[in-house]
Amino acid sequence: MSESSPATGSIAVDAMGGDHGPAQVVAALQLAFDAFPDLRPVILVGDEAQLRPLLAEAGLAGHPKLTIQHASEVVQMEDDVMTAIRRKKDASMLRAMDLVKDGVASAVVSTGNTKILVAAGTLKLRTLEGVERPALAPVIPCDRGHLILIDGGANPDATARHLVHNAILGTHYCRVELGIDRPRVGLLTIGTEEGKGNALTNETHEALKALGGLVNYAGPIEGFQIFLHEVDVVVCDGFTGNICLKSWESLVKFFGRELKTLFRANPVRMLAAVLGKGALRGLKHRIQPERYGGAPLLGLRGCVIKAHGSANRHALMNAIHDASEFVRTDLVHHIEADIAAANVVLDQPAA
Amino acid sequence: MSESSPATGSIAVDAMGGDHGPAQVVAALQLAFDAFPDLRPVILVGDEAQLRPLLAEAGLAGHPKLTIQHASEVVQMEDDVMTAIRRKKDASMLRAMDLVKDGVASAVVSTGNTKILVAAGTLKLRTLEGVERPALAPVIPCDRGHLILIDGGANPDATARHLVHNAILGTHYCRVELGIDRPRVGLLTIGTEEGKGNALTNETHEALKALGGLVNYAGPIEGFQIFLHEVDVVVCDGFTGNICLKSWESLVKFFGRELKTLFRANPVRMLAAVLGKGALRGLKHRIQPERYGGAPLLGLRGCVIKAHGSANRHALMNAIHDASEFVRTDLVHHIEADIAAANVVLDQPAA
């Protein structure tokens, strides 16, 4: 991960996943090379016969920072995890992961099946010392800025130990990604009084309190506090986090559809929509920002960025840039020390 | 619950809970008596010394359909469940519940602490034959209408059996509340392929499939499918459901704040806001409808409507009216037969 290791530094981009296919990935790459002159070298992983003409068309053939790694197979959304990993050894997502495992690349960007990405990352890269499960950490817009949600869906059957680790992973990522030195960490639950959550959050709450200064724990938070930005890192299990993320996205789209219908109801409102176009467009940009095109899978020995399956070229460009930035920071090193300290506390027999 | 039992039919309204105090409840009552001439008789439960002047001011003193049941204490939001139930025997919420338990009233409406309402309902009214835990069933706006979410927060540590019961409770309630004869039921999970949820949803999915025609099971659904209205009843545990509800509400408010800021950015947009006022107001009405002022706590031997702590008079009016309508339908009777049939399937040894 750090800049000092000579073999590392490239970003392996899985060209074959995603709803829009390799053309979209190539378009994103073109945008990324244009927008970020200091972008790390990219290894595009996928079907060479499909990629070569697309790259030529985009003017990227022979680009000094670009190489192709051929992969003959593609992980599909409906693939079973273990079958994909055992049988599709030459799938672009798995080949990209192999490049990091073998030290050829330092980061993977993929739009593919989350569950298979999590399993492949865990098996091929392995988790950091002391971490049992990786966690997805998307950036969420909220009042006066953004916050980190962790876990967005990597580990649906989390234990209290996993959630404590999420608090540490999220703290470190928040520091790097949002520049908040001592991020406030909240545990997502129902009812914020002691003992009002479920068994998992009650146990986690006690463990987080016991951590001392390792995490700036602000206590439990309820669903309605998320967008008020009362904390900078929201900790939850991957089941809850994934349902939240996807339902929020869906609610925003529903909101947009309703707004569109209402603004088309009569000529006065249509005029209002024309005059207010900038505001409506600004809202879309604010609520569904392509600025954060992907979410890192934290807790692994390497950087894995999961981009949305339906990510457009701008979102993908940002995911590739995020991976590039991620590689610059020595995130992993600092995380392991804190995880070790937390595990000492977690492993103490209950008083 | 049915109209045939002579002692029943009144609605016990807890006047003391809620963020806005008894004045708001009295105002809601005034609206309800005006709007719904066939409203069931109401027993207002709370501090008589506070209520009498408020009722006089509202012109409701001596109203033929209104009686007062004095209660000297109030359940507070921060009260511990067992302490409240054991020590605050004369609290308005608990007195209201006693009225249903003793057959004096048929329904309770309260804005108070959800956890205490659930515990008091379970202890005083008891659950229906074969049901272990009650579930909150709010109505949610979505594309082309509304759907029922169950459970919205009554049972945060649910088992697969509880979720199957939620599917049945939600089906019956959806039939009555939304008039859908054979509502499509979806199980809220992550990843809709077999085996992609968590341990709880995977077990529940198998149990729901085994139910046959008892529930119109449409399969697992992901968070992004909720507002697309692909199902009419969304089944989940109370932890997930409560976080969803509260975060959605918060997201809508965040959305509104952003929209307001954007429409004030310059004079052209301000004009657009004036011209589009109807559309913006329509959106607010559509997304946060006061039409559904409360959510029933289903699965009990009696009707309990939990109204939002911050409910305004219109929302409370609708909650009182909902209770009145609820009393008219013999919901409970039909539920018990289906629960019994489901339990036969659930209790079969695994093949």
Side-chain angles (χ1 to χ4, degrees):
Chain A
M1 289 289 295
S2 82
E3 288 200 83
S4 52
S5 40
T8 64
S10 293
I11 305 159
V13 175
D14 170 9
M16 307 307 286
D19 304 348
H20 307 297
Q24 185 83 339
V25 179
V26 169
L29 213 52
Q30 190 183 16
L31 289 173
F33 281 130
D34 277 355
F36 310 109
D38 56 353
L39 197 77
R40 294 258 154 195
V42 169
I43 306 171
L44 199 56
V45 189
D47 179 16
E48 202 163 351
Q50 282 187 63
L51 293 175
R52 289 247 173 250
L54 289 169
L55 288 172
E57 213 173 300
L60 291 177
H63 191 287
K65 282 195 189 172
L66 182 64
T67 49
I68 297 182
Q69 165 68 55
H70 177 66
S72 63
E73 292 175 288
V74 180
V75 167
Q76 303 294 346
M77 278 299 168
E78 62 278 11
D79 277 349
D80 168 68
V81 174
M82 290 323 291
T83 314
I85 289 176
R86 284 197 199 123
R87 300 276 167 79
K88 287 192 168 177
K89 290 194 192 298
D90 201 33
S92 56
M93 182 205 283
L94 303 177
R95 280 286 174 234
M97 205 67 87
D98 286 334
L99 291 175
V100 177
K101 180 183 162 197
D102 298 340
V104 177
S106 294
V108 171
V109 175
S110 177
T111 53
N113 181 313
T114 304
K115 200 168 183 185
I116 298 176
L117 193 67
V118 170
T122 308
L123 289 169
K124 288 177 184 280
L125 306 187
R126 291 185 302 129
T127 52
L128 293 175
E129 185 69 35
V131 173
E132 289 170 6
R133 301 287 179 88
L136 269 174
V139 176
I140 310 292
C142 61
D143 271 349
R144 305 174 308 282
H146 294 85
L147 56 77
I148 308 285
L149 180 91
I150 182 166
D151 168 22
N155 180 15
D157 286 300
T159 64
R161 173 179 288 257
H162 299 157
L163 295 188
V164 167
H165 291 168
N166 289 355
I168 292 169
L169 295 169
T171 294
H172 282 271
Y173 179 56
C174 185
R175 202 170 283 151
V176 170
E177 181 69 38
L178 302 182
I180 299 168
D181 189 44
R182 199 163 157 65
R184 299 160 297 174
V185 175
L187 175 65
L188 187 58
T189 186
I190 71 171
T192 48
E193 297 89 53
E194 304 259 336
K196 272 195 75 179
N198 64 5
L200 174 64
T201 57
N202 291 334
E203 189 188 341
T204 307
H205 173 61
E206 294 306 321
L208 285 170
K209 282 200 298 184
L211 282 191
L214 218 47
V215 160
N216 181 14
Y217 182 48
I221 64 159
E222 287 199 68
F224 74 86
Q225 294 169 289
I226 298 172
F227 297 99
L228 296 173
H229 202 167
E230 296 185 10
V231 298
D232 307 299
V233 177
V234 172
V235 170
C236 62
D237 66 273
F239 183 81
T240 307
N242 190 266
I243 287 176
C244 277
L245 280 179
K246 291 193 170 163
S247 67
W248 296 342
E249 200 182 297
S250 165
L251 178 57
V252 166
K253 286 183 183 165
F254 168 55
F255 208 106
R257 287 191 299 273
E258 293 290 319
L259 206 56
K260 197 173 269 185
T261 306
L262 288 163
F263 268 108
R264 281 179 182 163
N266 62 49
V268 176
R269 288 189 188 173
M270 284 186 208
L271 176 61
V274 172
L275 295 174
K277 203 163 68 176
L280 295 170
R281 201 184 289 138
L283 183 68
K284 194 173 169 187
H285 183 74
R286 175 79 176 96
I287 308 273
Q288 290 191 297
E290 284 149 7
R291 161 76 189 83
Y292 299 98
L297 190 58
L298 299 175
L300 296 175
R301 296 170 196 261
C303 167
V304 178
I305 306 273
K306 158 71 185 144
H308 206 300
S310 65
N312 65 20
R313 62 188 66 189
H314 296 279
L316 269 174
M317 169 194 78
N318 284 316
I320 294 166
H321 181 241
D322 276 357
S324 179
E325 288 300 299
F326 212 106
V327 170
R328 264 180 236 287
T329 60
D330 193 12
L331 197 59
V332 170
H333 176 74
H334 295 103
I335 288 176
E336 283 191 328
D338 279 2
I339 291 283
N343 284 348
V344 169
V345 178
L346 290 170
D347 293 338
Q348 275 166 359
Chain B
M1 289 290 294
S2 82
E3 286 199 85
S4 51
S5 40
T8 64
S10 294
I11 304 158
V13 176
D14 171 10
M16 308 306 286
D19 304 348
H20 307 299
Q24 185 84 341
V25 178
V26 169
L29 213 51
Q30 192 182 16
L31 290 173
F33 281 130
D34 279 354
F36 310 108
D38 57 352
L39 198 76
R40 294 257 154 196
V42 170
I43 306 172
L44 199 57
V45 189
D47 179 17
E48 203 163 351
Q50 282 187 64
L51 293 175
R52 289 246 173 251
L54 289 169
L55 289 172
E57 213 174 299
L60 291 177
H63 190 287
K65 282 196 190 171
L66 182 65
T67 49
I68 297 182
Q69 165 68 53
H70 177 67
S72 63
E73 293 176 287
V74 181
V75 167
Q76 304 294 347
M77 278 301 167
E78 62 278 12
D79 278 347
D80 169 68
V81 175
M82 289 323 291
T83 314
I85 289 175
R86 284 197 199 124
R87 301 277 168 79
K88 285 192 168 177
K89 288 193 192 299
D90 201 33
S92 56
M93 181 205 284
L94 303 177
R95 279 286 176 234
M97 205 66 86
D98 286 334
L99 291 175
V100 176
K101 179 184 161 196
D102 299 339
V104 177
S106 294
V108 172
V109 175
S110 177
T111 53
N113 181 315
T114 304
K115 199 168 184 183
I116 298 176
L117 194 66
V118 170
T122 308
L123 289 170
K124 288 178 185 282
L125 307 187
R126 290 185 302 131
T127 52
L128 293 175
E129 185 67 37
V131 173
E132 290 171 6
R133 301 289 179 86
L136 269 173
V139 176
I140 310 291
C142 61
D143 271 348
R144 304 175 308 282
H146 294 86
L147 55 78
I148 309 283
L149 180 91
I150 181 166
D151 169 23
N155 180 15
D157 285 300
T159 64
R161 173 179 289 258
H162 300 155
L163 295 189
V164 168
H165 292 168
N166 289 355
I168 292 170
L169 295 169
T171 293
H172 282 270
Y173 180 56
C174 185
R175 204 171 282 151
V176 169
E177 181 71 39
L178 301 183
I180 299 168
D181 189 45
R182 199 162 158 68
R184 299 160 296 175
V185 175
L187 175 66
L188 187 57
T189 187
I190 71 172
T192 48
E193 296 90 51
E194 305 258 337
K196 272 195 77 177
N198 65 6
L200 174 63
T201 56
N202 290 334
E203 190 188 341
T204 307
H205 173 62
E206 294 304 323
L208 285 170
K209 282 199 297 182
L211 282 192
L214 220 47
V215 159
N216 181 13
Y217 182 49
I221 64 158
E222 287 200 68
F224 74 86
Q225 293 169 290
I226 298 171
F227 297 99
L228 296 173
H229 202 168
E230 296 185 11
V231 298
D232 306 299
V233 177
V234 173
V235 169
C236 63
D237 67 274
F239 182 82
T240 307
N242 190 267
I243 288 175
C244 277
L245 279 180
K246 291 192 171 165
S247 68
W248 296 341
E249 200 182 297
S250 165
L251 177 56
V252 166
K253 286 182 182 165
F254 168 55
F255 209 105
R257 287 191 298 274
E258 293 289 319
L259 205 55
K260 197 174 267 185
T261 306
L262 288 163
F263 267 108
R264 282 178 181 164
N266 62 50
V268 176
R269 289 189 186 174
M270 284 185 210
L271 175 61
V274 172
L275 297 174
K277 204 163 66 177
L280 295 170
R281 202 185 288 138
L283 183 68
K284 195 174 169 185
H285 184 73
R286 175 79 177 99
I287 308 273
Q288 290 192 298
E290 285 150 6
R291 161 77 190 83
Y292 299 97
L297 191 57
L298 299 175
L300 296 175
R301 295 169 197 262
C303 167
V304 177
I305 305 273
K306 158 71 184 142
H308 206 300
S310 66
N312 66 19
R313 60 189 66 190
H314 295 279
L316 269 174
M317 170 193 76
N318 284 317
I320 294 167
H321 181 241
D322 275 357
S324 179
E325 289 299 300
F326 212 106
V327 170
R328 266 180 234 286
T329 60
D330 193 12
L331 196 60
V332 169
H333 176 75
H334 295 102
I335 289 175
E336 282 190 330
D338 278 1
I339 292 284
N343 284 349
V344 169
V345 178
L346 290 170
D347 293 338
Q348 275 166 359

